[in-house]
Structures are given as structure tokens and as C-alpha cells.
Amino acid sequence: MPLRPLLFAAAILAFFAAPQLLPEFYLFQICLIAGTALAVLGLVVVTGLAGQISLAQSAFVALGGYGASILAASWGVPLWAGIPVVAVVVAGLGFLLGQMTLRVAGHYLALATLAVTAIVQLALIHWEALTGGAAGMAVPPFEIMGRALTSGRELYYVIVPVTALFILTAQNLIASRFGRALTAIRQSETAAEAMGLDVLRYKAAAFAASAFLGAVAGGLLAPLSTYLDPAQYGITYAIYFLAIAVVGGMTSPTGAVIGSAVFVLLPNYLQAFQSYLGLVFALLLLGFIVLRPNGLSSLPWLRQAGALLHRTTGPKP
Amino acid sequence: MTEALLRIENVSVRFGGLVALDSVTLEVAPGSIQAVIGPNGAGKSTLLNVITGLYTASGGSILFRGERIDGRTPHAITRRGIARTFQNTELFGEMTALENVMISLDRFYAYGGVTAAWQGRHYRQIETSARDEARELLALVGLAGDENEAAATLPFGKQRRLEIARALATRPGLLLLDEPAAGLRAAEIDALNRILLDLRAQRQISILVIDHVMPLVMAISDRIAVLNFGRKIAEGTPDAVRRSPDVIAAYLGEKAAHAVGS
Ligand SMILES: Nc1ncnc2c1ncn2[C@@H]1O[C@H](COP(=O)(O)OP(=O)(O)OP(=O)(O)O)[C@@H](O)[C@H]1O
Ligand SMILES: [Mg+2]
């Protein structure tokens, strides 16, 4: 199909053209959308595919942001090296948390993961020596090859490609036996086990993946915001991510981007409703749960566009 | 006498005060079709669930190919060669029939995360082989045209057969079937009988089948065990079981006793 290389070329062109054409404000918004989408992608894996509800994404994002920033501030590890290292450690924590699903499911899992978010937030506030406590901490600039990337215009070249890479990778993994296994587990854990799948290991791996993606997202969003405020990484943020996943489409990586775009951009157009923003998002979430439970990415024209971008869809041999 | 493929020895299962299985001993000989029958609540499904590791035995032991399997996880037991279907079908409803079968097969067509992320030629070859074997298994149970149907949308009889295809995809030595004939019409039961006999003849798969429906059990079983209130009350060839007064009284009931007697 000649359409796909064409689309890829167009995407590359758009990627390099955007910084030339758009003002800083929009580039900053694009970075924010990409970073948020990365965190939501983690939820697509663990909640959308594997069916394990998680309100711990806020904690993973916080750990990624704080972890990389502390490494940089206290030990001089540059963010580009610190973020992946921290993400791997946080993925390990995610794996351990996933082991909990042996005993906890459904509503109780929601509560247990919520507790993780609460605990991490408390730790950030009280471990003042390391985190700056309730006052928060400044994020060292993202330095690469002797250059400090400070604006949205500069960070754009890091955040957007990293997110694109993870979205495409996730899409391929979802189409493979790994995505099949998680989907099967969501539909029936009993049957999945009986067909020889190590369900607990898959669920723990899904939690690890969500933690990894959340931490990378947190690490990339930190230099964008330049300042970390522990108040941000609470329960509301965890629900914010879930709401985005629902609106975008729980099982769709591209849906994570679409949902993030809606939630990041909408406030700009609702200046007049600033104080009702929470209500607008809540209504959006409710509306989608009731009317379009598969999210925006299930809209027919968006689905077709998604299929074009994806290698294995289209007529099967 | 050859060693049993599966040997259940004095196995008991308790739910609180209820004794669902009471010191049951049962063997499945290699290459045989063993049936277990019994009235509602006799403990038949419990027997399958304790063999496959879904329930834990409160006493006794279970040996498969001479090795203890009780206490192992369900997926470990499946990987050793015991596959099963569920009484109230447990399909992956939103997935296609083909994908349902591939879930069991994927283990034999493994590749790593990097291969899956890259999706190169090697990946496509492996996936194609897996898909081909899944197609064969679907054809074997008569679902050749239904590969891309969502499992939940298939008619009931086809869902039953999809469960068998999916279980076969784990490449078992022993297949456990929980009331595979329930709700099927006579013609469908005949087709099922033929499939099960072919499996034994062509794939050397032994079968433990649970049923209410006597025609299925009578027609294809080598031996029949009868459960009642968690106890094994009789065992033998179909003919012997049919004649056993205990079975007629406890299981078949008065009406059936008359029917058999006449
Ligand atoms: N998970 C469970 N928890 C509590 N009690 C159970 C459980 N599973 C089975 N039982 C009880 O154990 C007994 C045996 O049930 P089982 O499902 O094995 O019967 P069955 O022979 O398969 O019956 P049916 O013909 O209705 O399928 C029943 O009294 C049932 O209520
Ligand atoms: Mg039963």
C-alpha cells in the first residue's frame, strides 16, 4: 500500500515544520499532550487491555518526575540518563504492586492503588531533605550535548519523538501475542489460566509497563513545568488520567493521544468556565461512559485513520 | 496392567461444612474415554476443578503421568498436558474464534518483545504458522467458516465446540470435558461423539467426560463412574453401570428404573 509511506513522510514533515510555524504557546501544549498521553498509555495497557483498574498512575508519574529531578539535583545525573534509570526502578515497583492482584481485584484494587498514590504523595511532602517538602522543588534543566532545553520549543524535540516511539511500539505489542494474552485475561482470568497463561505474571508485567510509562512521562513533564509541586500528584491527577483514557478509548494507544489533546486543550477554550472545569471534565467522563464506552478512538472515521497507520490491520492473509 | 494416565486418590473437597467430594478415587487409563455421571450437585464439576487446580483438595492426591499435580497452579497443570472445557462456557467473548484458539497456541509459537515491537518477517512467519494451526483446529471441530466471528456471537453449539478447539490447542494428553453435550440436539451430539472418537484415534488423547446425557456417555465411554453426594457409588463398563441397582436407585430415579427395566 503506497499510502502508508506517504503518511509517514507527512508525519515527519509535520514534525519538523511545527516548530517553525507555531508559537511557543502551542509547542508547549503539544509537549504537554505528548507527556500526558505517555502516562495514559500506561493505563491503556494495565486497565484497558489487562482490565486491572489502577489509580496509581499519579504516583508513578510523581516518582518519575521527582526521581529524575533528585538524581540530577543531588548527584548531577543528567535527566536524559536519569529518566530511563528511574523508570526501570519504578517499573520494578509496578511489578511488585502487580503481584498484589493475586489477592485483590475490582473495587478493592482501585482502593489499593489509590492508597499507593496517597502514600507516595505523603512521602513527597514529608521527606523534605530530598523533595523540598510541601514547598516543592525546582527541576534542573534538561541538558543534552552541552545544551539546556528549557522552552516547549526545545523540549518538543525530545518529548514528541519519545511518545511517538512508545505509541507505535505499544500498538505493535498489542497486535502480538502479548496484547492477545492481556485481552484474554480481561475477558476471563479463569479461562486464561486454564489455557496455560501465567495470569499473575502477565498482570504484574502490565503493572510494570504502566509504571515504566508513567515514570518516563513524569520525567519528561518535569523539565517542561520546571517546578514540582507535591499537591499536584494526588488522587485528582490519578482520576484525570483515567478520565482521559476513557474519553480517548481505553484500549487504544492513539486514543491516549486524542484524549490527552481534548483534556489539555479544552481549558484554553473554556476560560470563562475556569472554575467549573472539574465539572466539565466530570460530565465529559460520565457522558462517555454512558454513550460511548469505547471512547473517541472508536469513532468510525478515526478508526479507519488508525488502521491506515498500523501495519498489521487491514485485510488478513 | 499399564500405569494410569491420571490417578485421583482419596480426594476430598470441602466448602465450609459442605463436602463436595468425599474421598473419591478414580483412574483414567491411557487412551481411554472415561465418563463421570451423577445428578445435580453430585460434585462432577468440582472433580474437574480440583484436577485442574482451580480448587484445592482438602485431602488425597492427584497424579498425572506418575507425578503429583495437586497444589500446582492451573496454568502449570495445563502445561503438563491436561486441558479442559467449562460447563458454562468461559470463552474470551469479544475475541474472534481464531484468537480464542491462538491464546492456547501462542506458547508454542513464542517470540520476544523486541520481535513483536518490530514486526519484521520473522514475526510474521511465526504468527502465520500459529494462525494456520488455529485454523486447522477450528476446522477439526467444524468451525471452518467462523474464524473471524466474535466468540460471544456464535450460537451455543458452536461455542461448545470452540471450547474444545481452544482446549486442544494446549496440546493435551488428557482432555477434560464438563457436560459437552448439555443443550445440544441429537444430530449435534452425534457429531460431538465422532469428534471425540477421532481425537482419541488420531491424536492419542485420553478423555474424561462429565455428562448428564446418557446417550453420549453410553455410546463412546470405555468406563463410567457414578458420583452421588460427593461419593463414588459405582464404576464399570456402560453395561454394568446401567444394570447396577444402586445407580438406578440413586441416580436414574424411579422413572428411569422403569424405563431401563422394560
Ligand atoms: N466454589 C464453590 N463454593 C461453594 N460451594 C460450591 C462451590 N462449587 C461447588 N460447590 C458446591 O459443591 C457441590 C457440588 O457442586 P458441583 O458443581 O461439583 O456439582 P455438579 O455435579 O457439577 O452439578 P451439576 O450437574 O449441576 O453441574 C454443590 O452442592 C455445590 O453447591
Ligand atoms: Mg457441574
Side-chain angles (χ1 to χ4, degrees), chain B residues 178-198:
Chain B
D178 198 345
E179 304 208 19
L184 298 193
R185 284 172 281 118
E188 289 177 312
I189 292 178
D190 284 345
L192 180 64
N193 278 343
R194 264 194 308 277
I195 291 171
L196 298 186
L197 289 172
D198 283 352

Side-chain angles (χ1 to χ4, degrees), chain A residues 69-79 143:
Chain A
S69 299
I70 290 169
L71 275 187
S74 309
W75 284 282
V77 181
L79 286 182
E143 277 174 24

Side-chain angles (χ1 to χ4, degrees), chain A residues 119-190:
Chain A
I119 290 167
V120 166
Q121 194 182 26
L122 276 176
L124 294 179
I125 292 171
H126 290 287
W127 201 346
E128 275 183 44
L130 221 49
T131 65
M137 77 179 284
V139 180
F142 196 108
E143 277 174 24
I144 197 155
M145 289 184 295
R147 259 188 79 173
L149 315 180
T150 48
S151 61
R153 184 177 300 280
E154 292 166 316
L155 284 164
Y156 170 91
Y157 289 103
V158 176
I159 300 183
V160 172
V162 167
T163 301
L165 182 74
F166 279 117
I167 296 274
L168 291 176
T169 304
Q171 225 151 19
N172 284 353
L173 287 176
I174 289 170
S176 78
R177 71 189 181 95
F178 301 108
R180 264 200 299 273
L182 292 184
T183 307
I185 288 167
R186 182 180 79 238
Q187 317 247 300
S188 168
E189 284 190 23
T190 308

Side-chain angles (χ1 to χ4, degrees), chain A residues 169 172-173 175-178 180-181 183-184 186-188 190-198 311-312 316-317, chain B residues 54 74-75 78-79 86 90 92-95 102-104 106 110-111 113 116-119 123 127 131 135 166 170:
Chain A
T169 304
N172 284 353
L173 287 176
S176 78
R177 71 189 181 95
F178 301 108
R180 264 200 299 273
T183 307
R186 182 180 79 238
Q187 317 247 300
S188 168
T190 308
E193 265 285 327
M195 296 312 126
L197 292 187
D198 189 340
R311 282 199 207 181
T312 55
K316 293 257 159 68
Chain B
L54 233 48
H75 69 264
T78 303
R79 288 170 182 214
F86 293 87
E90 274 287 329
F92 309 119
E94 291 169 25
M95 299 171 80
M102 285 178 82
I103 286 296
S104 308
D106 279 337
Y111 45 74
W118 186 248
Q119 301 211 338
Y123 168 84
E127 278 277 303
R131 193 157 287 151
R135 284 213 178 88
R166 190 180 65 169
T170 68

